């Protein structure tokens, strides 16, 4: 699995879905747009419904619930993480990233364009609020 870079400021959900589906960002964006999901819609990063719909279109199953983050060790092998969680005018917003663990090695795929490396292991810097398990 490889990181996919978001092309719009609020395209992190589309980029995370693209990484999980193994497709380029433009392909995921086309699929999202065909489902009525647009990066310009702030609901993309304040509602889980859109990312779940997009992942379902890629035939990727997720847990039906969000689980509070406890520790990096307790995460499932693949998960969507909500980091940079905050309230703006009583509405929750976050940044979507993908957590993966393979053969004991863990990393976070972060789509934010300005990062030097999109494969992150600086776990102490990230403050996940909750996650959605992704089934392989």
């Amino acid at each position: 699995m490889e990181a996919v870079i978001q092309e719009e400021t609020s395209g992190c959900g589309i980029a995370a879905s693209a990484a999980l589906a193994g497709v380029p960002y433009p392909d995921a964006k086309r699929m999202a747009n065909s489902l009525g999901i647009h990066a310009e819609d702030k609901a993309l990063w304040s509602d889980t419904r859109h990312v779940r719909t997009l992942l379902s279109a890629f035939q990727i199953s997720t847990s039906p619930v969000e689980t509070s983050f406890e520790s990096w060790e307790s995460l499932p092998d693949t998960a969507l993480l909500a980091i940079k969680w905050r309230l703006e005018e009583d509405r929750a917003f976050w940044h979507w990233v993908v957590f993966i663990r393979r053969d004991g090695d863990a990393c976070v795929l972060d789509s934010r364009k300005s990062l030097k490396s999109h494969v992150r292991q600086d776990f102490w810097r990230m403050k996940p609020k909750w996650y959605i398990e992704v089934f392989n």
Side-chain angles (χ1 to χ4, degrees), residues 1-98:
M1 190 178 310
E2 295 181 19
V4 174
I5 311 312
Q6 65 192 72
E7 294 179 5
E8 291 96 2
T9 303
S10 58
C12 58
I14 293 171
S17 299
L20 288 164
V23 301
Y25 187 91
D27 293 354
K29 182 178 177 178
R30 257 189 306 283
M31 174 72 80
N33 291 170
S34 75
L35 298 167
I37 301 166
H38 302 277
E40 302 81 24
D41 181 357
K42 286 187 177 182
L44 187 60
W45 33 293
S46 66
D47 187 338
T48 65
R49 176 175 33 106
H50 303 292
V51 167
R52 290 177 186 280
T53 299
L54 183 54
L55 288 172
S56 180
F58 284 121
Q59 299 180 343
I60 297 172
S61 300
T62 60
S63 168
V65 298
E66 294 84 45
T67 304
S68 293
F69 178 83
E70 300 278 331
S71 70
W72 292 101
E73 296 76 27
S74 67
L75 287 173
D77 288 342
T78 308
L80 276 172
L81 289 178
I83 67 170
K84 299 173 89 175
W85 191 94
R86 65 203 178 279
L87 282 176
E88 291 180 15
E89 298 177 14
D90 295 326
R91 186 173 187 181
F93 288 90
W94 56 84
H95 176 62
W96 288 113
V97 295
V98 176

